[in-house]
Amino acid sequence: MQHGKYRFIVGFLAVPMALYVILVIWPFIQSIYYSFTDWTGLSPDFTMVGFDNYAKMLDDDIFWKSLQHSVLLAVLLPLVTLGLALFFAFMLNVGGRRRKGAAITGVRGSGFYKIAYFFPQVLSIAIVAILFQFAFDPAQGMINGTLKAVGFTDVPDWLGDPKLALWVIMAVLVWCTTGFFVVLFSAGMASIPKDFYEAALLDGASRFTTFFRITLPLLWDTVQSGWVYMGILALGAEGFAIVHIMSVGPGGPDYSTTVLPLYVYQSAFRDGQAAYATTIGVALLLVTLAFAALVMRVGRRERLEF
Amino acid sequence: MGSTSAQHNEGLGRRDLIKRSAALGLIAVPTMSFLSACASGSGDSGDDKVEKGEKTEKNPLAVNGSAPLEIVIFDGGFGTKYAEDARDVYKKTYPEAQIKFSATQKIQSVLQPRFNGGTPPDLIDNSGAQQMDMGVLVGKKQLTDLTPLLDAPSIDDPAKTVRDTLRPGIVEMGQFDGDPVWMLYYAYTVYGVWYSQTALDKLDATYPETWDDMLALCAKAKKQGIAGWTYPGKHPYYIPFSLYPFIGKIGGVEVLNAIDNLEPKAWEHPAVKAAFEAYYELYAKGYILKGTPGLDHRGSQGAWARGKALFIPNGSWVENEEAAIIPKDFKLSVGAPSSLDSSDKLPFGTIWASGGEPFIVPAKAKNPAGGMEQLRIMLSEASSKSFTSNTKSLSAFNGGTDGLELSDGLKSGVAALDKAGTNVVNPRLQDWYVKLQKEQIGVAALGEMMAGRATPAETIKKIQAFADATAKDQSIKHFRHQ
């Protein structure tokens, strides 16, 4: 039954692979090529300049700041988001008190919570950013309004304060991504056989133990993929959109929220330095690859089959 | 055993495959591919210009009346009505010409690929937050020299050239290095300290002509719960609109020119220090509206229009931009920077006024004569009046306000220009070095100082370092005052 298997797979993959090479791999190679030129992006003329752009980048404080912020986002965001999502998903699916007729169940009203958590996912990231920009508005925003109503007089400037701005942005990112993973993990948990839980309950295992001994190990693949996915979101599109729309400048105040994709964008589309932007893009590519490789490597463990 | 299950074979498993390709794809797509989407085109299509028309008295630029014309306008604070009116005049003059007219807020994303591909439109209003970098456009020879337009007779009076009908400084602003004129600024903006005369009347005050009066007035306002100043904290590069002419007034135009020329230690001049310290005092004494560092331009202008703060550094577009919320009895006015003390080099009234809305004709435009002719039409008295009445702003055409009923802000702007006489300064950092002006000086330095997180001395040191880095960076084209 196995002969012809590879021909079968190749037949199916040829077209997508070709598209992938043309639309993804080839632009990569082009970008790397452009990073060795002085292309402005506003004129088709350019000359080769060797490693000039790379030398400039290594000597550029703003680049290092953006890198630092991007790495912080890539490390911290998955940790918080996935942690919260796991907790919520566990409570929604397994964490409830025992009720008649079912060995395991979610907390009361879990159906409603699932929708509530998923809701932010329905909104475009731009809308989320603009909504929160209003909410964090220091003068008329809802958040400071609430703080003032309960008696705080010295309310923070939020996005206007370099010490807080990046944390505000992270909080918004957590808010709008957690729901997706709650649903993803819920789906994963639904496929774990119920008898495992029943057996554990009969043995008198606590919810805590059930989570760490049954749920997490059996969900590990999903968690790992989620980790990579979330990290890439933080390094790429979502991190960019939120910072670009919400933060002062954008990227400020005082470069406190600037991230790599924003710096790529600004160099290419504001400063007319497309070649330098591709150079930062190459750095971003390396960071992203390193991140994915690290997560895959560290997270590797024996697969449990069920 | 199904052939797509890999549980018991070596090699490619379904899950592995999906996971790996997903991971690769996820990594790849968001990072870089968007950059190459605009990879440079061939660029040799620039020579197929349309044939010239016949040069006549009515048609000094030899426009080919049947050639198509493409215009792209920035749709910002001024709207597009004025440009549409002028387009209709062109259409009437050359009924055979097909005119493609479009308006966008995203000048750069719409036009950058077309510059790269060598097929730009014939006339562009290169303005707004997504303005294309002028230094790069000039440096890479992407623009047409507009000198023929300036030397052509004007529409209203053939005895005068277009050049003769422009406000002072407009032609010079379009020159970056030497004689060619690369752009024509169509709007004429008055920058300064904007306020409501009604609000001052309520405080029994007049516009403070000295800094001591300014501080006294702010103190008086504070007692009534009104802040002295606010500014767009998210875009602190508005602060220079009143701060730069203040520096020029204290130390003379040479100080501003040295700053524009990126001369070493230009920012260490005592006039800069004095001006910074004066502004910092506004923060230190609590005269800045609370929460200002987190407000964007609409937020701060809104707070100011609702009377929460007396003064805001801004440009004359603010009247049109906030038309919906500025109260009827506001009596919008603009003030020149107050005098610091009697040793100021320039008299009270010195103000920053300069061109806005730079129009360009790309070097590779197919119909450059048509683009220039369209500009010539826009610089007629009738078009200028249409602009002024539609936007409450002055145009580059000198005059053209007779017989119009001027709005409060516009009237005050005209009066301020009259008072200034020849004492009009025109700092160039914002059109020569966009990143330095907006992000580095604006957000990273002045924004921090006005929020009280950096002292004037620290701020000057920081800005000088940014300016030195810009001067040293060979990938940036450098300009000097001639």
Side-chain angles (χ1 to χ4, degrees):
Chain A
M1 291 294 283
Q2 293 281 331
H3 66 268
K5 185 178 93 175
Y6 290 102
R7 216 180 333 151
F8 179 77
I9 293 178
V10 167
F12 264 94
L13 286 185
V15 173
M17 275 311 279
L19 282 176
Y20 185 75
V21 168
I22 294 167
L23 297 175
V24 179
I25 306 284
W26 179 238
F28 268 76
I29 296 168
Q30 273 187 316
S31 299
I32 292 167
Y33 168 72
Y34 283 121
S35 72
F36 293 102
T37 68
D38 65 352
W39 182 42
T40 58
L42 285 169
S43 135
D45 316 319
F46 55 82
T47 49
M48 300 300 287
V49 294
F51 281 92
D52 281 10
N53 286 322
Y54 288 89
K56 182 179 165 190
M57 181 172 81
L58 295 179
D59 201 31
D60 183 350
D61 290 344
I62 310 305
F63 166 73
W64 289 109
K65 262 193 185 167
S66 334
L67 179 68
Q68 207 181 323
H69 295 150
S70 276
V71 169
L72 188 70
L73 285 186
V75 171
L76 226 53
L77 273 180
L79 204 65
V80 178
T81 309
L82 299 188
L84 277 175
L86 271 174
F87 172 73
F88 289 142
F90 183 75
M91 293 309 281
L92 291 184
N93 291 288
V94 192
R97 303 236 165 260
R98 218 174 307 170
R99 258 173 268 150
K100 252 188 283 175
I104 55 155
T105 166
V107 293
R108 220 174 287 265
S110 59
F112 169 76
Y113 289 130
K114 250 182 231 178
I115 293 173
Y117 287 140
F118 192 70
F119 185 67
Q121 197 63 32
V122 182
L123 298 174
S124 129
I125 186 80
I127 296 175
V128 170
I130 290 170
L131 282 179
F132 273 95
Q133 195 184 5
F134 289 136
F136 281 106
D137 183 300
Q140 271 123 43
M142 186 189 79
I143 291 168
N144 275 359
T146 318
L147 285 180
K148 276 181 198 158
V150 296
F152 286 95
T153 47
D154 209 15
V155 289
D157 268 341
W158 300 116
L159 290 160
D161 188 334
K163 287 198 199 77
L164 293 175
L166 193 63
W167 300 104
V168 169
I169 279 170
M170 280 198 227
V172 175
L173 277 169
V174 167
W175 181 83
C176 68
T177 45
T178 302
F180 173 77
F181 291 102
V182 171
V183 173
L184 183 74
F185 294 153
S186 289
M189 285 178 193
S191 71
I192 298 174
K194 291 222 180 342
D195 18 338
F196 288 16
Y197 288 108
E198 282 163 359
L201 282 173
L202 286 177
D203 291 343
S206 67
R207 272 195 269 189
F208 191 78
T209 323
T210 340
F211 177 75
F212 281 102
R213 292 297 162 103
I214 299 178
T215 314
L216 192 57
L218 289 177
L219 212 58
W220 190 248
D221 270 2
T222 320
V223 173
Q224 201 186 9
S225 307
W227 193 284
V228 176
Y229 182 67
M230 189 61 219
I232 289 165
L233 278 191
L235 285 170
E238 311 254 304
F240 165 77
I242 296 262
V243 169
H244 189 257
I245 298 171
M246 285 181 69
S247 76
V248 171
D254 199 16
Y255 298 111
S256 60
T257 63
T258 177
V259 287
L260 283 177
L262 180 77
Y263 199 34
V264 171
Y265 173 82
Q266 288 179 330
S267 304
F269 300 110
R270 183 194 58 199
D271 305 339
Q273 302 196 340
Y276 186 52
T278 54
T279 313
I280 304 162
V282 171
L284 179 56
L285 171 75
L286 293 178
V287 172
T288 317
L289 282 176
F291 169 80
L294 200 71
V295 172
M296 294 296 200
R297 188 85 224 160
V298 171
R300 180 178 294 171
R301 45 171 81 180
E302 200 182 338
R303 176 162 308 137
L304 295 154
E305 302 288 350
F306 55 87
Chain B
M1 176 107 310
S3 66
T4 53
S5 166
Q7 282 177 15
H8 298 292
N9 347 325
E10 308 269 302
L12 216 52
R14 167 169 52 98
R15 285 192 183 172
D16 268 339
L17 190 71
I18 291 170
K19 214 165 69 183
R20 278 182 206 161
S21 51
L24 256 179
L26 281 171
I27 293 160
V29 176
T31 45
M32 295 166 70
S33 52
F34 81 101
L35 264 182
S36 305
C38 53
S40 58
S42 66
D44 0 291
S45 48
D47 293 331
D48 46 356
K49 302 226 183 277
V50 298
E51 269 178 50
K52 282 243 168 192
E54 197 185 334
K55 189 167 171 170
T56 64
E57 212 165 278
K58 284 260 164 225
N59 185 5
L61 293 166
V63 174
N64 178 347
S66 59
L69 177 73
E70 187 183 354
I71 309 166
V72 178
I73 296 289
F74 170 68
D75 183 6
F78 293 133
T80 59
K81 178 80 170 56
Y82 74 96
E84 285 166 28
D85 287 354
R87 172 204 57 185
D88 294 343
V89 175
Y90 187 98
K91 211 182 238 167
K92 227 157 117 196
T93 322
Y94 304 105
E96 283 171 59
Q98 280 196 341
I99 306 180
K100 195 173 162 213
F101 180 94
S102 49
T104 178
Q105 297 200 347
K106 304 196 177 299
I107 289 290
Q108 177 133 27
S109 21
V110 172
L111 294 178
Q112 180 160 13
R114 300 191 50 190
F115 269 89
N116 254 317
T119 56
D122 303 307
L123 180 65
I124 300 166
D125 172 13
N126 180 25
S127 186
Q130 275 209 20
Q131 185 179 50
M132 290 176 287
D133 192 289
M134 294 293 193
V136 176
L137 286 176
V138 172
K140 288 282 172 180
K141 303 198 170 29
Q142 293 295 308
L143 301 180
T144 301
D145 178 11
L146 300 177
T147 306
L149 164 70
L150 296 174
D151 291 338
S154 73
I155 296 239
D156 300 302
D157 179 3
K160 273 186 179 173
T161 63
V162 169
R163 189 189 297 271
D164 296 336
T165 66
L166 299 177
R167 288 185 189 275
I170 290 288
V171 174
E172 291 72 23
M173 272 193 82
Q175 295 172 320
F176 270 57
D177 41 1
D179 286 334
V181 180
W182 299 118
M183 55 211 72
L184 201 133
Y185 285 84
Y186 187 64
Y188 196 68
T189 306
V190 179
Y191 301 95
V193 184
W194 293 79
Y195 63 96
S196 156
Q197 185 59 49
T198 312
L200 293 200
D201 289 346
K202 273 188 201 148
L203 287 167
D204 222 2
T206 52
Y207 181 77
E209 296 200 5
T210 68
W211 196 251
D212 289 336
D213 288 351
M214 171 61 83
L215 294 175
L217 177 55
C218 289
K220 200 170 173 185
K222 195 182 179 189
K223 280 200 193 106
Q224 306 211 3
I226 303 168
W229 286 62
T230 187
Y231 58 89
K234 286 189 143 192
H235 314 288
Y237 44 83
Y238 279 59
I239 299 168
F241 295 157
S242 61
L243 179 62
Y244 286 180
F246 191 38
I247 293 172
K249 181 178 168 0
I250 299 170
V253 179
E254 313 82 66
V255 184
L256 293 177
N257 286 353
I259 285 173
D260 287 343
N261 290 343
L262 301 179
E263 280 166 23
K265 305 198 173 172
W267 289 90
E268 286 162 22
H269 193 280
V272 177
K273 190 154 181 279
F276 276 31
E277 277 168 356
Y279 269 51
Y280 187 70
E281 207 173 346
L282 292 174
Y283 161 78
K285 294 205 160 135
Y287 297 154
I288 306 262
L289 179 70
K290 258 199 163 349
T292 291
L295 295 176
D296 69 359
H297 58 301
R298 299 305 300 270
S300 62
Q301 286 165 191
W304 161 81
R306 283 191 302 276
K308 297 200 170 172
L310 291 179
F311 301 110
I312 190 168
N314 223 309
S316 39
W317 63 81
V318 69
E319 183 169 34
N320 204 36
E321 196 166 34
E322 298 300 336
I325 59 165
I326 289 180
K328 279 236 156 48
D329 61 348
F330 196 73
K331 289 199 205 145
L332 178 67
S333 310
V334 58
S338 313
S339 299
L340 186 65
D341 55 42
S342 54
S343 64
D344 284 5
K345 287 268 166 52
L346 296 173
F348 174 74
T350 300
I351 205 160
W352 178 0
S354 69
E357 303 299 303
F359 277 75
I360 51 176
V361 176
K364 286 179 180 155
K366 300 241 177 341
N367 187 3
M372 281 194 241
E373 175 68 13
Q374 177 66 37
L375 275 177
R376 199 170 75 99
I377 293 170
M378 289 172 64
L379 289 168
S380 69
E381 186 165 355
S383 295
S384 170
K385 274 190 174 165
S386 144
F387 178 76
T388 302
S389 51
N390 274 316
T391 64
K392 299 178 184 146
S393 288
L394 296 171
S395 81
F397 178 79
N398 201 349
T401 51
D402 306 338
L404 285 182
E405 199 184 322
L406 300 186
S407 58
D408 292 341
L410 192 51
K411 218 184 295 173
S412 141
V414 173
L417 285 176
D418 280 348
K419 181 162 173 55
T422 54
N423 294 317
V424 173
V425 296
N426 185 6
R428 300 301 299 277
L429 281 186
Q430 65 179 8
D431 47 313
W432 286 357
Y433 308 108
V434 177
K435 177 179 180 177
L436 175 67
Q437 164 71 7
K438 286 193 168 176
E439 180 182 300
Q440 298 181 321
I441 296 176
V443 180
L446 289 178
E448 291 303 285
M449 181 180 90
M450 292 309 282
R453 293 189 287 259
T455 64
E458 286 162 1
T459 308
I460 287 171
K461 215 171 134 202
K462 203 166 165 182
I463 294 179
Q464 188 62 57
F466 285 138
D468 291 343
T470 305
K472 211 181 68 185
D473 190 339
Q474 287 311 311
S475 64
I476 298 172
K477 186 162 171 63
H478 297 123
F479 302 100
R480 292 185 69 83
H481 281 276
Q482 300 291 326

